[in-house]
Amino acid sequence: KFIGTGIYTVSEASRLTQVSPWRIRRWLLGYSFKTSGRVHTSPPIVHRQLAVIDNSIALSFLDLLEVKLVDTLLRRGVSWRTLRLAASRGSELLGHSHPFSTGRFWTDGRTILLDLAQTDSALLDVIRNQLVFKKIVTSFLSRLDFGHDQAVRWWPMGRRRHVVIDPERSFGQPIVDKEGVPTLVLAKASRVEKSLHRVAEWFEVSRKSVVDAVDFERNLAA
């Protein structure tokens, strides 16, 4: 059922995206807050693909990518208002529930942002933010492989490194591309063996794959 979709618990998604679990839950479920005696509701920014089962939230591969990019944009100073309108308008124009994870958003990002500026006077500064927005989106999407206008594979360290997250393999857990061994397995073995060469021989992978797996897991832990 989940082949090609990927499935991640909130804690797994948090580890891979470096976004706290409580923020992920708020972004997927929405939340309410009170100001000046009034209760306000903030709707989800990521429209999850998987239903809540027994009060447990699971993310798909596309959900994971949306969370990562939303966090990246927020950290670079893109406002929530701009982000929400871009997501909403992007979904409308592209006909996709996960607009930030489409190849078309990569090419149509400028059109979407300009459209926002023309339809909402409060977003005239989006022209200024556009360069930052487009640069971040382009940089992020350049690490994705696409199929049918949808992200199908993520190279979190860039294409020159061996680590890939592919929902078609190992249920979307990080692996080294050529050999398919989970990065976590290689990193743990490396800590025990204290030898990249022995780990490479043991799992029949290249030394480069072990190095990249160790670096990837170390960066996540940091």
Side-chain angles (χ1 to χ4, degrees):
K1 180 180 178 180
F2 298 112
I3 297 297
T5 300
I7 181 169
Y8 309 84
T9 64
V10 171
S11 60
E12 288 173 335
S14 177
R15 190 179 85 88
L16 294 175
T17 62
Q18 302 292 283
V19 178
S20 66
W22 72 270
R23 292 177 77 200
I24 291 178
R25 289 190 180 92
R26 286 160 66 98
W27 294 356
L28 267 67
L29 298 176
Y31 58 94
S32 298
F33 58 97
K34 192 173 183 179
T35 58
S36 303
R38 298 182 60 185
V39 176
H40 302 270
T41 299
S42 181
I45 185 68
V46 177
H47 298 284
R48 65 183 188 280
Q49 288 185 300
L50 307 176
V52 176
I53 301 177
D54 295 331
N55 296 319
S56 296
I57 305 171
L59 289 78
S60 69
F61 176 67
L62 293 185
D63 296 338
L64 186 78
L65 296 182
E66 295 275 306
V67 165
K68 179 62 177 178
L69 187 53
V70 165
D71 179 66
T72 301
L73 291 167
L74 289 173
R75 288 179 182 275
R76 290 294 297 273
V78 176
S79 72
W80 264 113
R81 182 173 176 78
T82 298
L83 188 58
R84 284 190 178 281
L85 283 171
S88 175
R89 191 64 179 137
S91 292
E92 180 182 340
L93 291 175
L94 302 179
H96 199 289
S97 62
H98 294 67
F100 296 141
S101 301
T102 66
R104 292 174 62 197
F105 191 90
W106 190 356
T107 57
D108 293 349
R110 180 180 176 85
T111 302
I112 292 169
L113 293 173
L114 287 176
D115 182 74
L116 290 177
Q118 293 169 2
T119 57
D120 193 318
S121 59
L123 284 177
L124 290 178
D125 68 333
V126 78
I127 300 301
R128 175 180 58 81
N129 288 334
Q130 178 177 297
L131 295 178
V132 175
F133 199 109
K134 187 71 181 293
K135 182 178 180 180
I136 296 170
V137 171
T138 300
S139 175
F140 180 75
L141 295 186
S142 68
R143 297 187 176 195
L144 304 180
D145 290 340
F146 293 93
H148 305 292
D149 287 328
Q150 177 173 294
V152 296
R153 201 171 295 108
W154 178 21
W155 303 87
M157 302 177 74
R159 296 176 183 276
R160 294 186 178 182
R161 308 298 291 271
H162 290 195
V163 176
V164 67
I165 297 177
D166 184 341
E168 295 279 357
R169 304 169 68 185
S170 297
F171 292 99
Q173 295 304 307
I175 59 174
V176 288
D177 178 46
K178 184 177 180 180
E179 300 91 352
V181 181
T183 57
L184 192 58
V185 170
L186 294 175
K188 286 182 176 179
S190 180
R191 287 197 297 271
V192 173
E193 291 295 317
K194 308 296 184 184
S195 170
L196 298 177
H197 179 71
R198 282 201 297 270
V199 172
E201 285 192 335
W202 188 7
F203 288 94
E204 299 183 336
V205 303
S206 69
R207 188 178 185 279
K208 171 65 173 171
S209 289
V210 179
V211 169
D212 286 353
V214 170
D215 285 349
F216 176 72
E217 292 296 335
R218 182 185 296 123
N219 290 338
L220 289 185

